[in-house]
Amino acid sequence: MTAHSRRVIHLWTDEVSLVIVQRDGRLPSITHWGAPLVVSDVELSDAVGADSRGDVDSDERLEPSILPEHALGWSGLSGIRMHRGSSA
């Protein structure tokens, strides 16, 4: 992917839609998971591009990936917790 690129994947059935977005080579995020969306590819791409959610403490867009990363501003629990046991 090139800089400032976006890949939108829309998976759907009659009962549900799942929209996954990958921006700028980062891990993908789930933008919509719920009621079926009846939109064209262009309308979906425009809607995803216009979506903006601000964090209370930041002017930056907060969009956690499917594996949230502290390095990108996520302040919640880690997406994966690991422990490496010591060797005795």
Side-chain angles (χ1 to χ4, degrees), residues 29-47:
S29 61
I30 296 174
T31 303
H32 175 82
W33 188 350
L37 300 176
V38 183
V39 293
S40 71
D41 291 343
V42 171
E43 291 171 324
L44 182 61
S45 184
D46 288 346

Side-chain angles (χ1 to χ4, degrees), residues 8-84:
V8 179
I9 301 167
H10 182 201
L11 306 173
W12 71 94
T13 68
D14 290 338
E15 291 95 24
V16 66
S17 279
L18 173 64
V19 179
I20 302 168
V21 179
Q22 182 182 17
R23 287 185 170 84
D24 300 329
R26 297 184 313 212
L27 292 172
S29 61
I30 296 174
T31 303
H32 175 82
W33 188 350
L37 300 176
V38 183
V39 293
S40 71
D41 291 343
V42 171
E43 291 171 324
L44 182 61
S45 184
D46 288 346
V48 168
D51 182 30
S52 62
R53 291 185 314 217
D55 189 17
V56 174
D57 297 333
S58 174
D59 291 336
E60 294 293 318
R61 175 189 176 101
L62 176 63
E63 186 176 270
S65 67
I66 58 174
L67 182 61
E69 302 167 272
H70 290 156
L72 294 177
W74 178 252
S75 60
L77 293 175
S78 300
I80 290 182
R81 277 194 160 173
M82 297 170 37
H83 180 273
R84 183 175 64 185

